[in-house]
Amino acid sequence: MTTESTVRTRFAPSPTGFMHVGNLRTALYEYLIARSLGGRFLLRIEDTDRERLVDGAVEAVYRTLERVGFRHDEGPDVGGDYGPYVQSERLHLYRPFAEQLVTTGHAYRCFCTKERLESLRAPAAAEDEGGAGGSSVSGFPGGYDRHCRELSEAEVRRLLDAGAPFVIRQKMPLAGSTVFEDAVYGSISVANEELEDQVLLKSDGFPTYNFANVVDDHLMAVTHVVRGSEYLSSTPKYQLLYEAFDWKPPVYVHLPVVNGADGKKLSKRHGAVSFEALVDEGYLPEAIVNYIALLGWSPGGTRELFTLDELCEVFRIDGIGRSPAVFDYDRLRWFNGEYLRKMAPEAFLAVAAPWLADALPGGGAGLDLGRLAGALQPRVTQMTQIPGLVSFFRELPEYGIGLYSNEKMKTDPALAAEMLGKAEQELAGLGEWTHDALHAALTGLAQREGRKNGQVMWPVRIAASGTEVTPGGAIEILSVLGRDESLRRIAAGRRKLQEALGR
RNA sequence: GCCCCCAUCGUCUAGCGGCCUAGGACACCGGCCUUUCAAGCCGGCAGCACGGAUUCGAAUUCCGUUGGGGGCACCA
């Protein structure tokens, strides 16, 4: 339930695409602020931009929140006392508020046409060709010259009667400055003359984001407005809106942006950036959340592995940093490895299964997948690595006898040929093809021959895999490969060596 | 161009005037372990952007410079 003092945060995505990790992080912090303060977390869909709507985007939001465990207390799907939670269903709410501001002198009707607005900007753009393409060059913030700001009542009446289309613009103070307090950036002050008379209500009657946002946040009793720092520069306008309505402003929590490795805004060219794309690339939701929590926020100590519940307990707003952070895939991968290794073997097998099925002969049927997963689990940091690691099971790759030489193991082709021959005989008579039996047979062979384990194991592993580096050692590979295929490969290795050695 | 913000190892960060010869983590490089490689353990490399000021004392405060990011729509 909600009382006067209940903290309320909201995640307000616009369904224009898939869930970007930057948005996911914003949602996470909103969730954590609510949970850590005993508050409520709500979901609001901001779909007022009909042109940019993307099919399936709302579903992606639900799916992602679900997958990641940010449970919202209120929202379009779960209801709540402050609905509707979809902006397009709230359209009737905004106009009265805009009209109220016109009445109180905080806003005015503007009848300027799009053409006039463009002509205001065009000459300015030409002036600084090759430049930043700024629009305040015209001498007015935002490029609008406040043409309709002081229209007489009679003139307004005339235009209205003539049915001229109009927008409602916010009337910014011309002097002084506006100050607001941000929970992470501190006190920020902007000269009012820098503020544009922004549009509140479009000529089609729809509110702009800037307006709907403030109205909705107030109506929904949102106490902490959390968003990316790209909104920092428009916050003074929101602040003025709150003041004009005489509403209590929320606590502003602006988050540092997330950049790519080149310091530019994180985008597809940096790699996977949507939550689902990351999952498809073999990152676990828990790892993504843990990693992202620490991108721009710090618990203060040196601990860095936290479950979502643990984050809820230790999260504090003042741990949020101010400088932009770079999304580092290497670090994400490390977190992923940590979570992968911590999983119960069966759980790991479950997430690895689809990757294995794709890469193994017959989809892995008949193979000891549990054993294979066991070998993979401590070695994998990203599921995409699996196919490459196990491809030799499907087919023995072409390999040169150089692989049989290893300085550290003290092996060379001649020794390998000998050991392979003996291993072949030893294993052919093996009663049961189990991990323990294989281990006993091979180490026993090494002992009898007066060799180091590696001098037997290395050649056998190479023959069985044709691969220099494999997940697991000779015994794991043999046991997964099975008797027939193992013996076939060992024999093939032996013959390959004998041919090469001229014997 | 104008406005706002930011600035500790390559990256994520701790630090909130003395505990800092700046701590942790990723990555990287060594070593140990070992039937390969990983994992694990041990060790190493590497940073307070610059210049002033305040102070007995500055990574920590102030000013400036430089660099970076963001904003400047009838988009959100």
Side-chain angles (χ1 to χ4, degrees):
Chain A
M1 80 165 275
T2 295
T3 67
E4 290 269 327
S5 58
T6 303
V7 165
R8 293 169 60 85
T9 62
R10 101 279 126 143
F11 178 48
S14 48
T16 55
F18 294 101
M19 182 86 96
H20 188 276
V21 290
N23 284 118
L24 184 65
R25 191 195 56 163
T26 301
L28 171 62
Y29 289 8
E30 282 158 348
Y31 176 79
L32 292 177
I33 288 172
R35 288 288 172 269
S36 66
L37 267 23
R40 293 169 70 83
F41 172 61
L42 26 158
L43 174 64
R44 178 171 80 223
I45 301 296
E46 309 216 329
D47 57 350
T48 50
D49 186 358
R50 310 184 56 204
E51 289 182 9
R52 297 205 310 169
L53 285 190
V54 170
D55 271 356
V58 179
E59 286 65 33
V61 169
Y62 287 135
R63 241 188 349 256
T64 301
L65 291 182
E66 167 81 40
R67 194 81 185 278
V68 104
F70 307 168
R71 280 209 33 238
H72 48 288
D73 304 299
E74 298 170 30
D77 51 342
V78 298
D81 298 338
Y82 296 81
Y85 293 90
V86 175
Q87 219 162 42
S88 57
E89 295 169 16
R90 304 172 60 81
L91 293 176
H92 58 286
L93 290 169
Y94 309 107
R95 166 150 251 133
F97 284 107
E99 295 289 354
Q100 179 188 334
L101 289 184
V102 172
T103 306
T104 60
H106 293 286
Y108 60 93
R109 288 172 225 282
C110 169
F111 299 87
C112 291
T113 61
K114 268 201 163 98
E115 294 68 46
R116 195 181 103 77
L117 260 21
E118 272 162 31
S119 72
L120 240 32
R121 280 191 277 265
E127 224 170 83
D128 65 348
E129 51 175 276
S135 47
S136 65
V137 194
S138 58
F140 302 95
Y144 179 57
D145 63 359
R146 293 175 165 147
H147 180 260
C148 298
R149 183 164 162 135
E150 305 301 343
L151 251 32
S152 69
E153 243 172 84
E155 182 67 358
V156 170
R157 175 98 281 128
R158 189 186 67 74
L159 286 163
L160 244 25
D161 290 345
F166 65 90
V167 302
I168 292 182
R169 309 187 90 111
Q170 187 178 357
K171 191 184 268 186
M172 298 298 174
L174 269 13
S177 59
T178 297
V179 183
F180 68 93
E181 205 61 38
D182 184 88
V184 353
Y185 287 94
S187 177
I188 292 176
S189 161
V190 174
N192 290 332
E193 56 182 0
E194 301 292 338
L195 305 177
E196 177 196 14
D197 283 359
Q198 67 174 345
V199 173
L200 265 21
L201 212 63
K202 308 182 208 175
S203 54
D204 61 6
F206 280 45
T208 58
Y209 162 85
N210 294 323
F211 187 56
N213 215 268
V214 168
V215 172
D216 286 341
D217 284 340
H218 173 258
L219 260 23
M220 292 182 176
V222 170
T223 58
H224 292 62
V225 168
V226 186
R227 46 154 90 111
S229 67
E230 63 267 28
Y231 290 94
L232 220 36
S233 45
S234 32
T235 300
K237 300 177 198 167
Y238 306 150
Q239 178 67 13
L240 252 12
L241 243 20
Y242 279 98
E243 289 173 12
F245 280 120
D246 197 24
W247 290 342
K248 184 180 181 213
V251 175
Y252 297 108
V253 183
H254 284 94
L255 272 21
V257 297
V258 178
N259 289 326
D262 57 1
K264 301 279 170 48
K265 209 178 181 80
L266 186 65
S267 66
K268 313 91 235 154
R269 66 197 173 77
H270 294 112
V273 291
S274 76
F275 173 74
E276 291 186 324
L278 251 12
V279 172
D280 287 345
E281 288 200 352
Y283 295 103
L284 299 170
E286 302 76 33
I288 296 172
V289 169
N290 194 154
Y291 169 66
I292 252 174
L294 263 23
L295 242 202
W297 171 80
S298 167
T302 58
R303 180 162 42 147
E304 33 196 7
L305 261 16
F306 296 92
T307 63
L308 220 213
D309 285 342
E310 289 168 339
L311 285 172
C312 289
E313 278 168 36
V314 300
F315 192 85
R316 289 194 311 132
I317 291 177
D318 55 19
I320 299 174
R322 281 168 287 274
S323 37
V326 172
F327 194 92
D328 182 356
Y329 290 90
D330 277 337
R331 203 165 141 76
L332 204 214
R333 210 170 286 121
W334 174 77
F335 275 98
N336 206 48
E338 289 293 309
Y339 278 84
L340 250 14
R341 268 173 258 128
K342 257 197 296 201
M343 294 173 90
E346 315 80 61
F348 176 80
L349 177 57
V351 316
W355 299 88
L356 249 19
D358 272 359
L360 259 20
L367 297 186
D368 187 346
L369 293 186
R371 183 124 248 150
L372 181 52
L376 251 13
Q377 189 167 4
R379 278 170 252 260
V380 166
T381 53
Q382 193 180 352
M383 300 318 248
T384 42
Q385 296 161 341
I386 290 181
L389 290 174
V390 304
S391 65
F392 67 85
F393 281 111
R394 186 200 286 274
E395 189 181 5
L396 185 64
E398 274 308 314
Y399 66 97
I401 61 162
L403 274 192
Y404 283 104
S405 298
N406 184 284
E407 210 178 320
K408 224 177 117 193
M409 293 301 112
K410 295 195 160 48
T411 62
D412 58 42
L415 176 74
E418 186 192 338
M419 291 303 135
L420 248 24
K422 297 208 156 110
E424 204 178 336
Q425 290 174 16
E426 184 78 23
L427 297 178
L430 198 62
E432 44 170 16
W433 197 263
T434 63
H435 186 272
D436 290 348
L438 287 164
H439 187 270
L442 259 18
T443 53
L445 171 62
Q447 216 159 37
R448 267 180 279 122
E449 293 297 316
R451 300 290 181 177
K452 292 160 54 95
N453 282 341
Q455 291 177 301
V456 174
M457 302 295 187
W458 180 276
V460 169
R461 192 180 58 83
I462 296 299
S465 68
T467 304
E468 186 172 17
V469 172
T470 56
I475 293 163
E476 279 79 17
I477 291 168
L478 254 32
S479 75
V480 171
L481 220 39
R483 165 177 248 125
D484 293 350
E485 183 62 14
S486 293
L487 291 176
R488 196 174 303 134
R489 289 186 180 190
I490 291 173
R494 191 206 71 227
R495 268 183 260 112
K496 176 193 280 252
L497 283 163
Q498 288 173 332
E499 270 172 46
L501 294 169
R503 286 189 257 144

